[in-house]
Amino acid sequence: MGDHGPAKGFGRWLFTTNHKDIGSMYLWFSFAMFLMGGVFALVIRAELFQPGLQLVEPEFFNQMTTMHGLVMVFGAVMPAFVGLANWMIPMMVGAPDMALPRMNNWSFWILPFAFTLLASTLLMEGGGPNFGWTFYAPLSTTYAPPSVTYFIFAVHIMGASSIMGSINIIATILNMRAPGMTLMKMPLFVWTWLITAYLLIAVMPVLAGCVTMMLMDIHFGTSFFSAAGGGDPVLFQHVFWFFGHPEVYIMILPAFGIVSAIIPTFARKPLFGYASMVYATASIAFLSFIVWAHHMFTVGMPIAGELFFMYATMLIAVPTGVKVFNWVSTMFRGSMTFETPMLFAIAFVILFTIGGFSGLMLSIAPADFQYHDTYFVVAHFHYVLVPGAVFSIFAAVYYWLPKWCGNMYDERLGKAHFWLSFVGLNLTFFPMHFVGLAGMPRRIPDYALQFADFNQIASMGAFLFGFSQVFFLFIVIKTIRGGEKATDAVWDNPEGLEWTVASPAPYHTFTTPPPVK
Amino acid sequence: MSTDTNSSVEGYEHYYVPEQSAFPILASIGLFALIFGLATFLNELQAEVTGAGRYVAIAGFAMLSATLFSWFRQTIIENMSGMNSAQLKRSYVWGMGWFIFSEVMFFAAFFGALYYVRNLAGPWLGGEGEKGQYMELAKMWAASGYEYTWPPLSTPDEAVNGAKAVFQGAGEGNSMYPSDAHNGLALWLPMWNTILLLSSSVTVHIAHIGLKEGNRAKFKGWLLATVILAIAFLFLQVAEYYEAYVHLGLTLESGIYGTTFFMLTGFHGFHVFLGMTMLLIMFLRSTKGHFSHDDCFGFEAASWYWHFVDVVWVCLFFFVYII
Amino acid sequence: MRLIGKQLASKLLWVLGQVLLLPTLLMTSVQAFGASDAVVDEAQRWGLNMTEGVTAVSHEIYDLHMLIFWICVWIGVVVFGIMFYSMIMHRKSSGAVPAKFHESTAVELAWTLIPALILVMMAIPATSSLIKIYDSSEAEINIKIVGYQWKWQYEYLGEDVSFFSNLTTPQDEIYGLAPKGEHYLLEVDEPLVIPVNKKVRFLITANDVLHAWWVPALAVKRDAIPGFVNDAWTIVDEPGIYRGQCAELCGKAHGFMPIVVHAMEEADYANWLAGKKEEAEELKAAMSQTFTMDELYARGEKVYQANCVACHGANGGGGLGPSLVGTGITTGPINAHINVMVNGVAGNAVMPVFGNQLNNIDLASVITFKRNAWGNNMGDQLQPVDILTFKKNQ
Ligand code: HEA
Ligand code: HEA
Ligand code: CUA
Ligand SMILES: [Cu+2]
């Protein structure tokens, strides 16, 4: 063994234990899900292009909203980050592979099955899940279509996949570092993933518990979420958001790691405040466990709870601010160039911060009485998720693609992709702030006339943004198939072990640990 | 290969990275069939039809178990043939540790639910507290005479709908408290279960000591004792459920008390079953001469799991039965 | 290290000073333009910002919103200002040489503490507003609001007045077969009526799934949770008609359950309430009356349009619910039909239990209507007393 190349044929992918193969599969899978979730979003945007019901019935619209949220969160963003972790973490810490390679493959292969099952619910009698990605009971229990049972089990196995993936990542980071790679020498991407994996292991089981309670209420007559039996529908929300809030940080912490790798490279200056970055990440993770009820300001919690969750939520601005300031200081007095990864990283810093600001506004409980469940919330979370999580993934792909496949992408095309995305995304999501403030509720297939203009703009932006992503697919395929050969370092003096191996990275790297200074 | 072999670090043991493996994909297919069949089966039950769901589920379960069995077998063979470095063994240690942590969080969700319904939602329904104060005014449960107690003797549903209620409280006998008239402390089943489970934690520990001492008879004997205690526990739990369902009328449908009681003890019981299975396998392995004082991770993992199950029980005993 | 910290700090301060000037200029110019009515009108038509509303609380929330908004804008201006400054000044192409510094405890401490202080400044007014919003004591009028799929019920506690409020926008407008009216999707048959300048307390709950009762102009948004009661209150300053929508996903017609609040002068309100009570009396009297087939049919058709059309279709052809044309219940024994209407369908939560949502006249007429419409031609009819008898015999 050792220096084997990849196996031949289809079996390579089915049976592989190689972290790079598995990473690639995760990334391709996630992109496919991104397109699928994106098509659902385009159905939503097409229906909302003007007032009135034109294309789809409300029932189907709700299914689109639900599936869009679920597929984007669990199918697109999370697997993309796991894919990046698979590819990069062993190379970054100088390990021969992930700690538990066979289980790694299992974590991946569960996903296509889980999502096939989830997507197939759309074709079932009574339709697919139509209760929002937050699936509040009792709409998702007593009033749900029969396909909800399949949905519940799909969530169960997705959770199993995430937990196994995270255990693997933690074991790799804690146990597989090359001698000399102390914790405080690890690249930030590794750090952020270590903490993310911890979050995942802590909250995915809670989600499993949550859907299990639903299953019991639906099929076995329990009364977790039914007041008539002594339960409470709000209990659902507490359990869900105990998972759900850390979940949103799960979708952003690895992004912080990526941006912290890219900005120093193109500013040609070491990352400012490495240690405080680590502490900030840990603080965000800690705080994320005690803020969940900010999604529930309007459920009528007692005022003490309301105040506690408001203060705790506001506090998150502090460690997040530290990160933003550190990135800005890294750029400050650097020597900057603006290749595609850097463009995406800079857009990340700006637009994520804007999304963070609207998050802070939402955290003010009295004001949230006006914002809650409007498009202002939709604008908030798309600003942190699309130019946040998704842009960071684009940045990562442009940044590491030459290392993966040995070829440089076409810089002109990359920049074009960036600008198209940038314009499209702002056209789509910025106007949502306005309609939200003006009073448009979310999850509605039709709206009052005063919201028409901004919705029209948003819909046009969505199509522009969507089709730019097909262009991205083209760029990636073109790069894999050929192009200018990349050097081993790829960029000007980047930091990290991954740049010390050849481009493309050999099938097996660091079968013996590298020396770490 | 350019730089990855450029140096070797002193004292480094090779980390075994398995080649291609069919287990993961087979396990995925098995898992998929299992859940797909199970969901179909449940929906068939709901719709009162008979279909293929149960067979798909059974086939999936069989495939998944067979795959996992071979998978573990393979892993054991690899370990026995000395392919695993100390570092690789540490990976298993981390893996098991974090897996147990995930299980802790799973139980946390249910304990959290218990806390919430007992201390917050329940009183509100009964018209108490900051959020209960308007129940009367709004002519809801409390206005129909629902009073909150724990354990609840009836459900809000019953207060309003009487015998027509969907959620029928368990009435008089729904408490499993030691103070119950028909149950003296000595006959109080949960206490016996606690004693059983606590002592099984001790026996498994003694078995571990035996193994460390190289005393295989001690190891095997106490391990077998642990398995027997586990089976006894499960037996008593079944008896308790039987009692609850048949004599006390306490069921899953008995409103929130039955819900939390059966979900917490049920999931715990299921985990006892898993742990018991693990220990049994470890016992069978021990009879084949597996494990040595410095290489016994499989056994240790099972025993950690067992201690975890034990700790959950102690919490359960306290939160569900005593207070 | 300390030296670098100082240098960095002074540099930062300088840049800060520069960028702080910018938005001041910008704002004054916007204000100069903003004075023109055209701009204001245009902004209003497009609906850019949160409504200021018509209650003390809504004004307070609006101010809070604007306060936080401007704080965020200023922080943004500073942060992005510095960022753009370095992106312009420190680019490789213009020969910038990278500095070496990479940490400074002083600066890092500053940008931890200063935001924390800013947050405290935000938290103070937020807390006081919240306490005010939560104090629903000493209300003069209590109204129970119940969310149903997909309509609202208002019950004036202690007054014996209770009614449902349904969307009135015709299906044709929704499906683009007729031009959309001014209050498209925001119009109802019976609005909630409240007096101005009185503290009105809402006790909000739901009958089936979660809903949320939201009227932006009152800044009241509270979830309606089946089995639990939430409270909220308002004191409206100005008479007027205020519109809102259900704000919690509640199924198919979540987008189609508007809220209309009609705030009246006190005297008008008293009149209205008296009228409502009279109506209730009349209704009670009518319960024992006998109606003709035509009366029942006509009334039943209205009831059907308001309550059933969403699920059973305009011509009874079905949709979310089954077809009612020529099938089992509608053309079967009449008692089974009454049973479905009064008690719902056993084991199915989607078909509502209409027994206490519709009065006996409405129940009798909608059943009569269904049995004779769309070619069902059963020819039989029901009187309100029949329903009463049925309910009694249960
Ligand atoms: C990647 C995902 C992500 C991230 C990172 C965040 C980040 C934050 N979110 Fe968001 N959020 C979501 C995803 C995310 N959110 C989603 C998906 C939902 C909707 C779920 C649903 O209902 O479907 C949601 C909803 C949501 C709500 C509920 C709204 C409602 O339904 O009524 C709230 C309320 O408090 C909130 C708050 C915040 C806050 C305070 C942050 C903070 O972490 C932001 C911190 C960042 C900054 C503040 C900017 C940078 C800081 C500085 C420059 C320092 C100085 C600044 C100040 C002192 C102001 N979010
Ligand atoms: C990471 C998460 C993520 C991402 C990336 C996105 C991306 C997008 N989202 Fe959304 N969104 C959510 C997470 C996300 N979203 C969540 C959690 C919700 C809440 C759900 C709920 O309420 O329950 C939500 C809800 C939501 C709504 C509100 C729906 C409602 O309330 O009813 C809207 C409305 O405009 C919207 C729009 C979009 C758009 C236009 C994009 C665009 O970025 C999409 C870009 C489009 C593409 C990428 C498509 C490209 C493909 C093609 C052009 C076809 C080519 C085909 C082939 C090659 C085969 N999203
Ligand atoms: Cu009722 Cu949404
Ligand atoms: Cu949150």
Side-chain angles (χ1 to χ4, degrees):
Chain A
M1 76 145 293
D3 286 359
H4 282 270
K8 297 277 173 297
F10 207 57
R12 164 178 177 185
W13 303 104
L14 289 180
F15 306 139
T16 186
T17 50
N18 180 286
H19 71 103
K20 301 188 181 76
D21 283 352
I22 295 173
S24 305
M25 289 198 295
Y26 264 114
L27 288 168
W28 281 112
F29 172 77
S30 118
F31 194 72
M33 289 298 112
F34 179 60
L35 290 188
M36 182 163 105
V39 170
F40 296 156
L42 295 185
V43 173
I44 295 172
R45 285 312 331 163
E47 176 57 51
L48 293 177
F49 184 70
Q50 42 173 302
L53 293 177
Q54 288 87 28
L55 299 168
V56 296
E57 285 296 315
E59 193 54 23
F60 189 68
F61 182 91
N62 288 347
Q63 295 173 32
M64 285 292 106
T65 300
T66 308
M67 289 299 247
H68 163 66
L70 289 170
V71 167
M72 283 299 194
V73 168
F74 295 102
V77 172
M78 288 170 62
F81 283 136
V82 182
L84 291 169
N86 255 296
W87 250 104
M88 303 316 301
I89 288 179
M91 293 215 286
M92 285 176 158
V93 301
D97 205 296
M98 295 292 280
L100 305 161
R102 276 181 296 227
M103 191 173 85
N104 199 18
N105 195 29
W106 198 22
S107 321
F108 170 75
W109 274 108
I110 285 176
L111 285 181
F113 290 101
F115 281 88
T116 309
L117 184 59
L118 186 64
S120 72
T121 56
L122 284 176
L123 309 173
M124 290 180 188
E125 205 186 315
N130 54 8
F131 27 65
W133 86 283
T134 52
F135 47 100
Y136 282 5
L139 189 62
S140 65
T141 54
T142 324
Y143 294 82
S147 63
V148 66
T149 314
Y150 296 91
F151 156 84
I152 288 173
F153 283 114
V155 171
H156 269 130
I157 63 170
M158 267 176 229
S161 154
S162 288
I163 292 173
M164 287 194 284
S166 308
I167 289 177
N168 223 328
I169 288 171
I170 295 194
T172 307
I173 297 173
L174 294 182
N175 189 34
M176 306 278 288
R177 276 167 292 132
M181 173 69 75
T182 59
L183 285 177
M184 290 309 270
K185 273 191 195 158
M186 295 193 310
L188 264 173
F189 181 68
V190 180
W191 254 116
T192 51
W193 241 118
L194 177 64
I195 292 170
T196 304
Y198 165 72
L199 286 181
L200 273 166
I201 298 180
V203 301
M204 290 313 281
V206 176
L207 176 67
C210 186
V211 291
T212 305
M213 292 179 201
M214 282 170 64
L215 184 78
M216 297 304 290
D217 270 13
I218 294 171
H219 289 289
F220 299 96
T222 56
S223 45
F224 282 110
F225 308 133
S226 157
D232 185 350
V234 175
L235 168 63
F236 175 92
Q237 299 182 28
H238 281 290
V239 182
F240 178 85
W241 286 115
F242 184 85
F243 147 80
H245 185 80
E247 168 68 21
V248 308
Y249 290 106
I250 287 164
M251 292 189 283
I252 206 68
L253 293 184
F256 291 165
I258 292 166
V259 171
S260 304
I262 291 175
I263 290 182
T265 299
F266 297 97
R268 290 169 184 72
K269 197 165 144 270
L271 181 70
F272 188 87
Y274 172 90
S276 65
M277 284 298 213
V278 173
Y279 301 139
T281 312
S283 322
I284 294 175
F286 169 74
L287 286 172
S288 76
F289 285 110
I290 54 164
V291 300
W292 74 88
H294 64 217
H295 296 272
M296 304 162 53
F297 281 143
T298 63
V299 298
M301 267 182 293
I303 189 167
E306 202 95 350
L307 286 172
F308 171 80
F309 286 109
M310 173 169 88
Y311 298 148
T313 305
M314 292 172 76
L315 263 186
I316 298 192
V318 175
T320 317
V322 167
K323 292 192 152 276
V324 172
F325 301 141
N326 280 344
W327 290 321
V328 174
S329 308
T330 306
M331 291 194 237
F332 194 73
R333 291 191 45 212
S335 169
M336 269 185 276
T337 51
F338 300 91
E339 285 86 344
T340 311
M342 183 63 163
L343 288 179
F344 276 108
I346 290 174
F348 172 96
V349 176
I350 297 176
L351 299 180
F352 167 79
T353 304
I354 292 178
F357 287 151
S358 57
L360 191 78
M361 295 171 75
L362 291 168
S363 74
I364 307 294
D368 187 62
F369 293 156
Q370 292 284 43
Y371 306 135
H372 177 67
D373 257 318
T374 67
Y375 263 79
F376 190 76
V377 178
V378 178
H380 156 65
F381 67 73
H382 282 96
Y383 260 84
V384 282
L385 282 168
V386 179
V390 174
F391 265 29
S392 81
I393 294 164
F394 290 156
V397 170
Y398 284 110
Y399 187 55
W400 283 308
L401 189 59
K403 177 56 62 190
W404 298 339
C405 71
N407 305 321
M408 282 310 274
Y409 62 88
D410 184 326
E411 194 61 63
R412 275 199 350 269
L413 296 185
K415 288 205 164 104
H417 171 228
F418 169 77
W419 286 109
L420 284 173
S421 301
F422 182 83
V423 172
L425 156 152
N426 284 297
L427 273 181
T428 314
F429 299 116
F430 210 77
M432 290 186 187
H433 291 109
F434 302 134
V435 282
L437 290 175
M440 176 165 162
R442 57 192 282 209
R443 294 167 169 169
I444 58 175
D446 191 6
Y447 48 82
L449 301 178
Q450 69 266 32
F451 309 127
D453 302 298
F454 282 125
N455 269 299
Q456 217 151 65
I457 298 177
S459 291
M460 295 191 290
F463 278 84
L464 174 63
F465 181 76
F467 282 100
S468 334
Q469 306 326 317
V470 182
F471 184 49
F472 173 61
L473 179 65
F474 167 77
I475 299 174
V476 171
I477 293 178
K478 181 168 177 292
T479 312
I480 293 174
R481 300 186 60 178
E484 191 194 327
K485 290 279 162 266
T487 59
D488 287 1
V490 183
W491 313 108
D492 245 12
N493 205 14
E495 222 186 306
L497 286 176
E498 75 264 36
W499 308 110
T500 63
V501 303
S503 299
Y507 196 57
H508 293 288
T509 37
F510 303 128
T511 40
T512 50
V516 177
K517 282 150 281 158
Chain B
M1 296 286 109
S2 65
T3 46
D4 69 301
T5 46
N6 55 4
S7 79
S8 74
V9 174
E10 194 93 21
Y12 171 75
E13 274 184 286
H14 181 74
Y15 194 93
Y16 167 60
V17 176
E19 286 296 299
Q20 305 278 95
S21 166
F23 296 134
I25 185 81
L26 292 176
S28 305
I29 295 171
L31 186 62
F32 176 72
L34 170 62
I35 61 157
F36 183 80
L38 208 56
T40 310
F41 172 59
L42 288 174
N43 278 355
E44 284 163 0
L45 277 187
Q46 185 108 329
E48 290 168 4
V49 295
T50 28
R54 63 193 74 190
Y55 306 114
V56 179
I58 292 171
F61 181 72
M63 180 166 179
L64 181 62
S65 328
T67 310
L68 289 181
F69 180 81
S70 321
W71 192 335
F72 280 115
R73 211 175 87 97
Q74 171 88 24
T75 317
I76 292 164
I77 292 172
E78 283 163 6
N79 187 32
M80 307 273 290
S81 60
M83 290 158 95
N84 295 358
S85 59
Q87 192 185 19
L88 181 65
K89 289 175 189 165
R90 269 202 312 279
S91 289
Y92 288 134
V93 171
W94 282 117
M96 190 66 196
W98 287 96
F99 169 66
I100 290 178
F101 175 58
S102 80
E103 293 272 47
V104 169
M105 293 308 293
F106 181 77
F107 276 99
F110 288 91
F111 278 108
L114 175 66
Y115 171 82
Y116 182 85
V117 294
R118 263 185 83 157
N119 297 301
L120 301 169
W124 294 339
L125 284 170
E128 300 160 30
E130 201 174 325
K131 280 205 61 185
Q133 55 180 322
Y134 299 115
M135 280 290 173
E136 297 271 355
L137 191 54
K139 298 174 234 157
M140 310 262 292
W141 320 109
S144 311
Y146 176 67
E147 267 182 61
Y148 171 72
T149 53
W150 191 271
L153 297 176
S154 73
T155 61
D157 197 6
E158 272 179 321
V160 175
N161 295 319
K164 277 200 301 173
V166 180
F167 299 108
Q168 306 273 352
E172 285 303 301
N174 78 352
S175 164
M176 299 227 153
Y177 286 161
S179 56
D180 264 18
H182 60 284
N183 261 346
L185 192 60
L187 286 175
W188 195 42
L189 193 145
M191 201 188 64
W192 285 105
N193 260 346
T194 310
I195 294 169
L196 280 179
L197 216 50
L198 283 176
S199 39
S200 76
S201 246
V202 177
T203 53
V204 80
H205 186 65
I206 300 178
H208 194 198
I209 295 173
L211 183 62
K212 289 276 168 205
E213 289 167 347
N215 183 345
R216 290 199 72 85
K218 184 173 175 187
F219 169 52
K220 280 190 272 189
W222 287 101
L223 185 52
L224 184 63
T226 312
V227 173
I228 291 168
L229 286 171
I231 292 171
F233 175 92
L234 286 172
F235 180 79
L236 281 191
Q237 181 145 16
V238 170
E240 183 185 29
Y241 279 16
Y242 177 80
E243 167 89 350
Y245 259 80
V246 176
H247 296 130
L248 302 180
L250 177 64
T251 70
L252 275 173
E253 287 94 7
S254 307
I256 198 65
Y257 186 76
T259 300
T260 50
F261 174 78
F262 284 110
M263 291 303 284
L264 275 160
T265 55
F267 269 116
H268 176 265
F270 177 64
H271 282 77
V272 171
F273 178 76
L274 285 183
M276 189 270 297
T277 314
M278 286 187 208
L279 290 171
L280 186 64
I281 291 173
M282 296 311 147
F283 174 72
L284 295 177
R285 285 182 64 189
S286 76
T287 61
K288 287 185 149 193
H290 290 201
F291 308 125
S292 65
H293 64 95
D294 64 347
D295 187 8
C296 55
F297 174 68
F299 165 72
E300 280 179 340
S303 80
W304 293 338
Y305 196 79
W306 195 248
H307 290 309
F308 149 73
V309 168
D310 199 19
V311 171
V312 173
W313 177 261
V314 172
C315 297
L316 257 174
F317 184 57
F318 186 70
F319 289 114
V320 175
Y321 292 99
I322 296 194
I323 63 167
Chain C
M1 217 26 48
R2 176 158 300 167
L3 201 70
I4 295 168
K6 272 210 184 118
Q7 267 182 3
L8 190 65
S10 67
K11 197 83 184 182
L12 282 176
L13 267 178
W14 180 80
V15 177
L16 214 143
Q18 300 293 303
V19 288
L20 281 184
L21 279 174
L22 252 170
T24 320
L25 282 174
L26 247 158
M27 257 171 60
T28 35
S29 55
V30 168
Q31 263 155 11
F33 279 113
S36 98
D37 287 351
V39 175
V40 174
D41 283 354
E42 197 54 20
Q44 225 136 53
R45 190 176 73 75
W46 283 59
L48 277 173
N49 202 354
M50 184 190 284
T51 171
E52 290 192 49
V54 292
T55 68
V57 165
S58 74
H59 284 118
E60 218 167 273
I61 289 182
Y62 175 82
D63 292 342
L64 202 55
H65 157 71
M66 290 315 284
L67 171 76
I68 315 279
F69 170 71
W70 281 116
I71 292 179
C72 287
V73 169
W74 284 103
I75 297 177
V77 165
V78 174
V79 176
F80 303 149
I82 299 174
M83 210 168 133
F84 277 102
Y85 171 83
S86 38
M87 285 195 312
I88 293 161
M89 306 301 286
H90 308 143
R91 36 173 72 219
K92 192 176 177 212
S93 53
S94 54
V97 182
K100 290 270 178 296
F101 66 85
H102 60 85
E103 60 187 356
S104 153
T105 315
V107 187
E108 288 173 62
L109 213 60
W111 67 43
T112 310
L113 292 180
I114 295 172
L117 281 178
I118 297 177
L119 292 177
V120 173
M121 273 164 45
M122 294 178 184
I124 292 168
T127 306
S128 81
S129 294
L130 198 67
I131 290 172
K132 200 178 284 178
I133 293 170
Y134 260 70
D135 180 14
S136 69
S137 58
E138 288 164 30
E140 294 173 77
I141 296 172
N142 287 310
I143 300 175
K144 179 179 173 187
I145 300 178
V146 189
Y148 288 80
Q149 278 181 325
W150 292 279
K151 59 191 164 212
W152 295 98
Q153 183 190 21
Y154 301 110
E155 187 180 338
Y156 290 69
L157 293 172
E159 301 286 358
D160 214 12
V161 169
S162 162
F163 54 87
F164 282 88
S165 180
N166 290 292
L167 174 76
T168 50
T169 303
Q171 298 272 313
D172 281 357
E173 284 188 22
I174 295 173
Y175 284 95
L177 304 174
K180 299 184 182 2
E182 190 191 354
H183 297 300
Y184 178 68
L185 294 188
L186 298 179
E187 50 203 348
V188 298
D189 49 3
E190 285 205 70
L192 172 71
V193 177
I194 54 171
V196 293
N197 299 326
K198 278 209 166 169
K199 188 157 182 178
V200 181
R201 174 163 56 204
F202 304 118
L203 298 177
I204 302 170
T205 183
N207 184 57
D208 34 46
V209 299
L210 303 173
H211 303 266
W213 197 82
W214 178 36
V215 179
L218 314 187
V220 172
K221 184 186 284 150
R222 266 289 184 282
D223 288 4
I225 295 162
F228 290 83
V229 189
N230 273 331
D231 63 313
W233 62 272
T234 193
I235 302 175
V236 179
D237 298 338
E238 298 163 31
I241 294 178
Y242 307 109
R243 292 166 202 277
Q245 274 175 277
C246 176
E248 185 63 66
L249 180 61
C250 52
K252 183 180 120 134
H254 159 61
F256 304 92
M257 56 181 291
I259 295 152
V260 180
V261 176
H262 193 165
M264 295 179 176
E265 294 295 353
E266 230 172 289
D268 298 337
Y269 170 74
N271 274 340
W272 173 85
L273 196 64
K276 268 285 167 198
K277 282 184 184 164
E278 211 165 292
E279 238 175 68
E281 291 298 320
E282 277 166 21
L283 199 67
K284 253 190 210 149
M287 288 296 170
S288 49
Q289 248 169 292
T290 310
F291 295 85
T292 66
M293 181 74 170
D294 288 345
E295 280 171 338
L296 288 168
Y297 190 91
R299 189 178 181 118
E301 182 160 20
K302 273 201 204 118
V303 176
Y304 185 87
Q305 291 305 337
N307 294 289
C308 324
V309 90
C311 297
H312 292 286
N315 293 312
L320 198 56
S323 163
L324 302 173
V325 184
T327 63
I329 297 280
T330 8
T331 53
I334 203 159
N335 259 357
H337 198 166
I338 303 178
N339 188 36
V340 165
M341 293 312 301
V342 173
N343 297 319
V345 179
N348 180 300
V350 179
M351 168 72 190
V353 177
F354 281 104
N356 33 15
Q357 291 186 30
L358 297 176
N359 62 47
N360 292 352
I361 307 178
D362 288 341
L363 285 171
S365 39
V366 75
I367 296 175
T368 309
F369 167 73
K370 279 188 298 176
R371 294 178 81 80
N372 295 289
W374 320 305
N376 279 345
N377 298 337
M378 295 295 291
D380 46 4
Q381 50 165 292
L382 283 173
Q383 293 298 335
V385 274
D386 299 329
I387 308 282
L388 190 68
T389 329
F390 179 88
K391 283 184 178 168
K392 274 207 185 124
N393 291 341
Q394 284 196 4

